[in-house]
């Protein structure tokens, strides 16, 4: 009965999405306040209906109701509780229901926090959100219904894919979807502005918090997915340029460009047309990522669906929303009034440079991801585009961007002084050069690019801190006054500094682990020792063990340095009985920012085992840098000038001003 209730709630949500997609948009066109007022309560009730449907599916998983086809295919009565819950979105149907739940949540949040928005803007935004909800609720109900019953239910389920039975995969998809779907709000704002034919700095102030929210969650989701792949798959890599990884990375690149472009629009009322286009493209890339994962055109550990009919349905959604929004843009954009004029050497110019390189890098990733698919469709030839292509295209585009990052905050709006900015950055530049030279001297000439990469990362990090140091006049006035100035800085300034610093830290980790990681692959007998990265790893033996729904062989390794015992490492090879699938569970020990990583291969005669060990210098900086970027985003989001919604007082004051 609860399952049927969830199904019915989903049908009601579909009906509500039709109302939300038609009535407020028509009301905005006719300037009918009663029709426009329908949008907010309908968006709230739609969220409640989708939430009820999601709760019903979760209940079916928690009670192991194997009469539900989706539960039977993806759950097992012996599965731990946390994986019963995460199993709800560990499959195609459930993950799409989570996608729509988050979409409805964002619609409800716009309704709740947009009380002071202009009525027509709010109505159009929620109307466009209704269009998106209508499309994906139809997709779920007609091609991916999670509530289908089995006539003769089996006694036991088939279990969840073993590689998805991990805490990281319980967290990664919700974070990623909050980022993906969060950009639907920016898309809706862009479409609403085009429908209304008006866009200004106030629009940018309304939309920028939503950009930040989506960007924060997408950054967290990508970082969490990267770390999951690193420790769970046993390969020891943090990024593989997998097409589905690229599918989440492309909207992040476009979203980062959009975040900076919206800043120019808010501050200088410039880049209006470009900002609207970026808002459309960012969510379009999110839809493209959804298509790649759900259509079956890709084979990946991340991909869910393989049903071509679903792919055709999502392809139709892509064509309607991307084609429709770009057509609307082509029609209305020439009518939009251009903003302020500025010199090429200015903060606006620096942010435009940022946009150019980010969008070019995004285009390079897009080409590398889609070219094999296009070639397969047109000629039947099958090729793979891997790391060499992306390293040769993406890397060179990012280097000039990273070199330019520290200059932006030192340049004034409208017209900047490049020489003055360079003088203020001389200390940062000198320190970065010294660091690069020291690294080159210590490591020798074996890898010329590594010291350059370390120097650039140091330049970005020190340059980010330099801007704050300059603004608080550290060393030029008494220390107490500097602290007072630091406390008075806008939070968005601290957010920008942390965001850039985190980017430099991530790059530092990538360069270090790529250049200097060490790897040992060997067969070890009990009692044998291998050395790696200055550590001694001794194999003590294998022990069989049994978990709730798997069997495993646990390897016991002792880790020493200079004869001193540091840790016991216990990687394992697991075998899940229901799915008849093996997995690798790595063991990782962290020392500062460095890690020792061990994974097991196949067991051999006499108690021997194939072992893969890595020493990874500074590898944790990759994810710590992402965390610092997220903290920077939260600082910016908490800035009193960037609250979600304009102050009522300012809104009323603007309304009271006479028309010019």
């Amino acid at each position: 009965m609860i399952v049927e209730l969830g199904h019915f709630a989903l049908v009601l949500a579909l009906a509500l999405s039709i109302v939300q997609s038609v009535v407020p948009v028509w009301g905005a066109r006719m300037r009918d306040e009663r029709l426009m007022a329908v949008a907010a309560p309908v968006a709230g009730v739609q969220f409640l209906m989708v939430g009820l449907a999601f709760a019903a599916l979760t209940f079916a998983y928690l009670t192991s109701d194997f009469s539900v086809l989706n539960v039977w295919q993806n759950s097992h009565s012996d599965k731990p509780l946390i994986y019963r819950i995460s199993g709800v979105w560990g499959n195609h149907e459930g993950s799409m229901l989570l996608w729509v739940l988050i979409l409805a949540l964002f619609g409800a949040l716009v309704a709740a926090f947009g009380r002071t928005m202009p009525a027509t803007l709010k109505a159009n935004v929620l109307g466009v959100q209704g269009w998106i909800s209508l499309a994906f609720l139809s997709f779920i109900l007609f091609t991916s219904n999670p509530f289908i019953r089995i006539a003769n239910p089996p006694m036991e389920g088939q279990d969840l894919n073993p590689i998805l039975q991990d805490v990281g995969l319980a967290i990664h998809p919700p974070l990623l979807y909050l980022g993906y779907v969060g950009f639907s709000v920016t898309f809706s704002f862009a479409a609403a502005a085009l429908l209304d034919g008006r866009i200004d700095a106030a629009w940018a102030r309304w939309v920028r918090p939503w950009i930040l929210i989506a960007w924060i969650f997408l950054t967290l989701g990508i970082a969490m997915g990267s770390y999951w792949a690193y420790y769970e798959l046993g390969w020891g890599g943090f990024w593989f340029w997998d097409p589905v990884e690229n599918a989440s990375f492309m909207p992040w690149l476009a979203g980062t460009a959009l975040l900076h472009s919206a800043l120019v629009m808010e501050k200088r009322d410039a880049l209006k047309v470009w900002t609207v286009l970026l808002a459309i493209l960012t969510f379009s890339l999110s839809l493209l990522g959804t298509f790649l994962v759900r259509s079956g055109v890709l084979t990946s550990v991340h991909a869910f669906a393989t049903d071509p009919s679903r792919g055709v349905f999502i392809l139709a959604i892509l064509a309607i929303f991307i084609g429709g929004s770009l057509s609307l843009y082509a029609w209305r954009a020439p009518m939009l009034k251009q903003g302020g004029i500025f010199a090429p050497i200015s903060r606006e110019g620096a942010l435009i440079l940022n946009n150019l390189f980010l969008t070019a890098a995004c285009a390079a990733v897009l080409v590398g991801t889609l070219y094999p698919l296009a070639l397969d469709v047109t000629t039947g030839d099958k090729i793979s585009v891997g790391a060499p292509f992306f390293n040769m295209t993406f890397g060179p585009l990012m280097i000039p961007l990273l070199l330019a990052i520290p200059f932006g905050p030192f340049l004034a709006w409208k017209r900047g002084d490049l020489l003055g900015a360079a003088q203020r950055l001389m200390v940062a530049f000198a320190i970065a050069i010294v660091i690069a030279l020291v690294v080159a001297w210590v490591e020798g000439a074996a890898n010329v690019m590594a010291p350059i990469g370390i120097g650039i990362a140091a330049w970005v990090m020190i340059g980010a801190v330099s801007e704050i140091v300059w603004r608080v006049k550290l060393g030029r006035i008494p220390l107490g006054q500097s602290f007072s100035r630091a406390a008075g800085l806008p939070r968005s300034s601290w957010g920008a500094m942390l965001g850039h610093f985190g980017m430099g830290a991530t790059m530092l980790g990538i360069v270090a682990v790529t250049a200097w990681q060490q790897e040992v692959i060997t067969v070890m007998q009990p009692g044998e020792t291998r050395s790696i990265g200055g550590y001694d790893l001794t194999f003590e033996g294998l022990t069989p063990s049994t978990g709730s729904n798997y069997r495993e062989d646990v390897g016991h390794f002792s880790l020493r340095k200079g004869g001193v015992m540091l840790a016991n490492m216990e990687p394992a090879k697991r075998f899940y009985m229901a799915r008849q699938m093996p997995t690798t569970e790595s063991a990782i020990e962290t020392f500062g920012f460095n890690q020792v990583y061990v994974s097991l291969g196949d067991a051999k005669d006499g108690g021997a085992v194939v072992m893969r060990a890595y020493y990874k210098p500074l590898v944790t900086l990759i994810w710590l840098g992402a965390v610092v970027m997220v903290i920077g985003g939260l600082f910016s989001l908490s800035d009193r000038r960037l609250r979600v919604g304009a102050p009522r007082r300012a809104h009323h004051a603007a309304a009271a001003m006479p028309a010019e």
Side-chain angles (χ1 to χ4, degrees):
M1 181 61 185
I2 292 179
V3 171
E4 281 69 32
L5 182 63
H7 191 186
F8 182 63
L10 211 55
V11 174
L12 283 178
L14 177 65
L16 289 167
S17 70
I18 296 173
V19 175
Q20 183 180 335
S21 62
V22 175
V23 174
V25 176
W26 180 254
R29 181 174 179 81
M30 303 303 296
R31 295 298 190 265
D32 188 322
E33 293 186 0
R34 292 174 300 174
L35 294 180
M36 290 189 287
V38 168
V42 169
V45 176
Q46 184 193 143
F47 170 62
L48 291 177
M49 291 299 101
V50 178
L52 180 60
F54 190 82
L57 184 61
T58 303
F59 179 80
Y61 269 85
L62 291 175
T63 57
S64 295
D65 185 355
F66 298 123
S67 68
V68 179
L69 178 63
N70 184 262
V71 178
W72 172 70
Q73 290 175 333
N74 299 284
S75 193
H76 193 278
S77 57
D78 291 334
K79 193 167 64 172
L81 177 62
I82 186 174
Y83 302 135
R84 291 193 200 181
I85 297 172
S86 65
V88 176
W89 56 81
N91 59 87
H92 169 72
E93 293 83 0
S95 66
M96 287 309 303
L97 186 56
L98 176 65
W99 204 101
V100 173
L101 175 66
I102 294 172
L103 179 65
L105 170 64
F106 274 105
L109 289 175
V110 172
F113 288 97
R115 295 174 182 173
T116 57
M117 287 172 60
T120 54
L121 177 62
K122 182 178 179 180
N124 281 327
V125 169
L126 290 175
V128 176
Q129 286 288 110
W131 299 347
I132 302 170
S133 297
L134 174 60
F136 280 94
L137 284 167
S138 300
F139 173 72
I140 291 176
L141 287 169
F142 295 124
T143 72
S144 308
N145 190 346
F147 298 110
I148 296 174
R149 290 280 195 180
I150 301 175
N152 298 304
M155 295 296 293
E156 192 53 83
Q158 295 183 330
D159 206 1
L160 181 66
N161 187 334
I163 65 171
L164 302 181
Q165 295 189 39
D166 181 82
V167 174
L169 258 291
I171 303 170
H172 166 57
L175 291 175
L176 199 63
Y177 289 179
L178 283 164
Y180 266 159
V181 184
F183 283 118
S184 70
V185 179
T186 65
F187 173 87
S188 297
F189 267 93
L194 292 172
L195 288 171
D196 203 31
R198 186 175 60 188
I199 183 170
D200 52 22
W203 179 90
R205 282 192 292 273
W206 279 111
V207 75
R208 205 154 76 91
W210 299 104
I211 301 172
L212 266 171
I213 291 169
W215 183 86
I216 286 168
F217 280 115
L218 189 56
T219 303
L220 278 175
I222 293 173
M224 185 72 253
S226 168
Y227 193 66
W228 166 80
Y230 170 74
Y231 73 77
E232 176 66 21
L233 300 182
W235 301 341
F238 59 90
W239 194 260
F240 306 99
W241 292 110
D242 180 285
V244 181
E245 289 178 331
N246 295 347
S248 62
F249 191 43
M250 288 185 290
W252 186 88
L253 290 169
T256 305
L258 174 60
L259 184 61
H260 290 84
S261 180
L263 176 64
V264 176
M265 186 175 169
E266 179 189 349
K267 297 289 187 182
R268 296 285 302 137
D269 198 26
L271 301 185
K272 295 179 180 180
V273 176
W274 173 243
T275 304
V276 170
L277 179 60
L278 272 179
I280 292 172
L281 293 179
T282 301
F283 183 60
S284 298
L285 290 169
S286 295
L287 291 178
L288 178 64
T290 301
F291 169 72
L292 293 175
V293 178
R294 312 289 163 189
S295 63
V297 300
L298 294 178
T299 300
S300 167
V301 296
H302 306 79
F304 284 122
T306 57
D307 184 353
S309 65
R310 293 169 175 171
V312 171
F313 201 114
I314 297 182
L315 190 59
I317 294 175
L318 251 75
I320 292 170
F321 280 97
I322 298 177
S325 60
L326 290 178
S327 298
L328 179 63
Y329 175 81
W331 174 44
R332 301 289 280 183
M335 306 176 191
L336 297 177
K337 186 178 179 181
Q338 296 297 321
I341 299 174
F342 52 87
I345 303 299
S346 61
R347 189 171 299 190
E348 296 96 324
L351 292 170
I352 289 176
L353 186 70
N354 161 288
N355 270 225
L356 289 175
F357 280 110
L358 283 173
T359 51
C362 182
V365 177
L366 179 66
V367 170
T369 303
L370 296 186
Y371 178 72
L373 302 178
L375 191 67
D376 186 16
V377 170
T378 55
T379 67
D381 296 335
K382 295 186 180 295
I383 65 168
S384 61
V385 175
F389 169 83
F390 292 106
N391 292 340
M392 290 298 294
T393 55
F394 182 81
L397 287 169
M398 293 305 292
I399 289 173
L401 173 61
L402 292 168
L403 290 173
I405 282 176
F407 283 94
F410 281 101
L411 296 174
W413 294 103
K414 195 173 182 179
R415 183 179 298 275
D417 181 3
L418 185 60
L419 179 60
Q423 290 173 341
R424 295 170 186 175
L425 285 165
M426 284 298 294
V427 174
F429 183 74
I431 295 173
I433 290 294
V434 169
I435 290 173
L437 291 175
V438 169
V439 171
W441 178 69
V442 171
E443 296 297 327
N447 190 340
V448 177
M449 295 304 297
I452 295 175
I454 296 295
I456 294 174
W459 161 249
V460 173
M461 296 167 70
I462 300 168
V465 175
S466 297
E467 194 259 341
I468 296 294
V469 169
W470 182 265
R471 291 186 65 175
V472 303
K473 298 184 177 181
L474 188 65
R476 292 178 288 150
I477 61 175
L479 191 59
Q481 293 182 24
S482 292
F483 284 149
S484 297
R485 291 177 66 89
L489 286 179
R491 292 181 186 175
S492 58
S493 297
W494 289 101
M497 184 274 286
L498 289 170
H500 294 161
F501 187 90
M503 175 63 71
T506 294
M507 182 187 173
L508 182 60
I510 291 172
V511 172
V513 75
T514 301
W516 299 305
Q517 79 168 5
Q518 298 179 28
E519 179 183 15
V520 172
I521 303 176
T522 186
V523 177
M524 294 186 70
Q525 298 283 348
E528 286 189 339
T529 299
R530 296 287 187 273
S531 295
I532 183 168
Y535 296 87
D536 296 320
L537 197 63
T538 302
F539 178 45
E540 308 292 349
L542 282 175
T543 301
S545 181
T546 303
S548 57
N549 59 338
Y550 60 84
R551 298 190 305 267
E552 65 177 348
D553 289 324
V554 181
H556 300 278
F557 293 83
S558 56
L559 186 67
R560 295 178 172 84
K561 187 170 187 178
V564 178
M565 180 70 178
L566 298 178
N568 290 309
M569 304 185 69
E570 297 184 343
K573 288 284 288 187
R574 289 182 179 175
F575 185 80
Y576 287 78
M577 286 80 76
R579 285 270 181 159
Q580 295 291 295
M581 285 180 62
T583 64
T584 299
E585 301 295 320
S586 59
I588 301 173
E589 288 294 330
T590 303
F591 303 97
F593 298 123
N594 310 320
Q595 288 187 336
V596 176
Y597 181 112
V598 180
S599 63
L600 290 183
D602 297 330
K604 302 294 183 181
D605 295 336
V609 68
V610 177
M611 180 273 296
R612 182 194 298 260
Y614 297 94
Y615 172 66
K616 295 181 172 291
L618 305 185
V619 68
T620 59
L621 287 179
I622 296 172
W623 303 290
L624 290 175
V627 171
V628 172
M629 283 189 271
V630 167
I631 294 172
L634 292 172
F635 264 84
S636 294
L637 191 62
S638 68
D639 193 301
R640 63 183 180 272
R641 299 176 301 175
L642 242 184
R643 67 189 66 178
V644 180
R648 286 184 176 273
R649 183 175 58 186
H651 172 74
H652 292 321
M657 288 178 65
E660 294 183 1

